[in-house]
Amino acid sequence: MKYDQIDNKLFIKNRKKFMAQMRPKSIAVFNSNDIYPVSADTTLAFEQHRDILYLSGIDQEESILLMFPDAIEKKHREVLFVRETNAHIAIWEGAKLDKKQATDVSGIKTIYWLSDFEKVFFGLMTEAEIIYFNTNEHYRQAVQTQTREDRFIIKTKNQYPGHQVAKSNPILQALRGVKEPEEIDLIKRACQITEKGFRRILKHTKPGIWEYELEAEFLHEFIINRSKGFAYTPIIASGNSANVLHYIENNKQCKDGDLILMDVGAEYANYSSDMTRTIPVNGRFSERQRKVYEAVLKVKNEATQMLRPGTLWSEFHIEVGNMMTSALIDLKLLSKTDVEKESKDWPAYKKYFMHGTSHHMGLDTHDYGPLKTPMEANMVFTVEPGIYIPEEGFGVRLEDDVVITQNGDPINLMDTIPIECDEIEELMNN
């Protein structure tokens, strides 16, 4: 991995928190992701399943984590299975973790080779009554392929029909939603790398440049700062492309007088950052562009101050909608009559701001975290209002990553990334 090894104390804490919520005589199992084929002999780059990563730090394919707090033998209360390495693998793929290295990374003392899993698992299942399966219950998931985890669940249900079944996901939603200090530091590191990329492209942007050239400048800066690259597929949307919310083609030339909306974030150690900035191609905002931009910035700043313990996500979005409604009336994009006639299911402001304002972020860009219970300290949220005006040929979105604090103002992890119009213009013209 490019990143510095994470102190295994983080994963030890994470496992303790998870096991404290397991029912008596229960086992929880977590599998690595598959390596997915493209065609012929090519595969996609491996991405570790974030749950096993959160609980063990193991960033390697064909790994299995097993937790059994009530195991008769103490050594089997935390067990890690990893792929056995050998000289052939070391030459062709690079050496895999040996048992000592797996312990150093995870803090787990009992390490077996993956080939021992079935035998060890059978023995432990004779002591257990319940098994926790790790199903994907994220509110935005839309998985259309069978995963390694799915295959394990099907096989285990057939082999052990007498065991009760429980779900890991509700526990993980609560745990992963509230970040440990070490996690916040890693997200901050990702944000700092994103800042380096943004400052780089401010110097390169000019009329005639292509969107993909700006994407390349970001990627260059990310990789030389020990990131794998983008935390998610980047959006570099100039002109009217900014009004396509998930525009990812990044294949148009940037024209004089247009704005460029860039929704881009670096990852670091598998932790995401998530930034959006909107800048003028020629280095100067027009009067209208500036007015819309400053309206979005005002909503973002006011919305950020609402991210405090006790705030309900649903009520937060309603209040941000009210802020945006006022902004759109001031910009003469909406009239008071439009608001009076609006549908409760689709408020008038949704014509120009049709997405949500915030989501959890961390190991996943749209991270785990409860959305129906009050916000808590050390949750990390994005704040990303936008105004999209196809009839005027531009859109503006601004986005920062924010930590909720126990007492006081939220902490903006991107507070050093330029966002004010004057600062952006100054950096682009000097």
Side-chain angles (χ1 to χ4, degrees), residues 50 98 367:
R50 299 311 193 236
D98 61 29
D367 205 19

Side-chain angles (χ1 to χ4, degrees), residues 25 68-77 123-124 126-128:
K25 292 191 175 182
F68 186 9
D70 295 329
I72 294 171
E73 291 185 85
K74 188 176 180 180
K75 71 174 186 176
H76 285 145
R77 292 175 186 174
L124 295 178
T126 64
E127 301 175 23

Side-chain angles (χ1 to χ4, degrees), residues 274 277 300 381-383 398-402 412 414 419:
D274 192 355
R277 292 293 186 269
K300 186 193 77 71
F381 282 95
T382 62
V383 187
L398 300 171
E399 177 181 21
D400 285 333
D401 303 335
V402 173
N412 185 351
M414 292 183 161
I419 197 168

Side-chain angles (χ1 to χ4, degrees), residues 19-250:
M19 288 190 286
Q21 296 193 43
M22 291 174 65
R23 289 151 60 183
K25 292 191 175 182
S26 62
I27 284 178
V29 178
F30 298 87
N31 285 272
S32 289
N33 275 335
D34 286 312
I35 297 177
Y36 290 97
V38 178
S39 67
D41 62 345
T42 55
T43 60
L44 298 177
F46 175 70
E47 284 287 338
Q48 182 59 291
H49 195 297
R50 299 311 193 236
D51 291 334
I52 191 173
L53 194 68
Y54 174 80
L55 293 165
S56 72
I58 297 298
D59 198 354
Q60 181 174 293
E61 73 279 9
E62 297 185 271
S63 303
I64 300 176
L65 169 65
L66 184 152
M67 293 184 289
F68 186 9
D70 295 329
I72 294 171
E73 291 185 85
K74 188 176 180 180
K75 71 174 186 176
H76 285 145
R77 292 175 186 174
E78 293 183 342
V79 185
L80 186 65
F81 299 84
V82 294
R83 178 184 177 190
E84 184 171 4
T85 191
N86 56 44
H88 177 80
I89 291 172
I91 291 170
W92 286 91
E93 301 178 31
K96 305 300 178 182
L97 294 170
D98 61 29
K99 292 183 178 182
K100 181 182 181 305
Q101 290 169 329
T103 293
D104 290 343
V105 170
S106 66
I108 297 171
K109 293 182 172 59
T110 303
I111 311 293
Y112 288 106
W113 297 130
L114 185 63
S115 56
D116 294 323
F117 176 76
E118 294 297 341
K119 179 181 177 181
V120 175
F121 184 54
F122 175 81
L124 295 178
M125 284 292 274
T126 64
E127 301 175 23
E129 296 177 359
I130 304 166
I131 180 161
Y132 280 82
F133 288 133
N134 192 33
T135 52
N136 185 352
E137 298 180 27
H138 190 275
Y139 69 105
R140 295 181 66 155
Q141 73 85 19
V143 179
Q144 296 183 354
T145 188
Q146 190 179 64
T147 66
R148 192 179 187 89
E149 202 78 81
D150 294 332
R151 296 194 301 275
F152 170 77
I153 292 170
I154 292 167
K155 181 180 179 182
T156 305
K157 283 183 175 179
N158 286 332
Q159 288 183 329
Y160 302 95
H163 284 69
Q164 298 177 51
V165 170
K167 300 192 299 182
S168 297
N169 192 261
I171 300 175
L172 287 167
Q173 289 280 355
L175 296 183
R176 282 182 52 183
V178 179
K179 271 55 180 180
E180 292 289 341
E182 298 95 325
E183 294 183 281
I184 293 172
D185 288 344
L186 291 166
I187 297 169
K188 177 68 173 178
R189 178 83 174 265
C191 291
Q192 291 169 338
I193 297 171
T194 299
E195 176 178 358
K196 290 176 184 291
F198 181 60
R199 289 183 181 274
R200 181 183 181 90
I201 68 96
L202 288 176
K203 297 177 181 178
H204 284 79
T205 302
K206 58 186 177 182
I209 198 167
W210 291 79
E211 293 164 348
Y212 56 76
E213 292 181 272
L214 297 176
E215 181 179 347
E217 297 296 341
F218 272 114
L219 186 59
H220 171 93
E221 200 67 33
F222 291 176
I223 290 176
I224 65 171
N225 283 283
R226 306 189 72 172
S227 166
K228 282 186 296 188
F230 296 104
Y232 51 93
T233 305
I235 296 169
I236 314 287
S238 63
N240 229 339
S241 294
N243 297 307
V244 180
L245 296 182
H246 292 109
Y247 171 84
I248 58 173
E249 286 80 4
N250 302 344

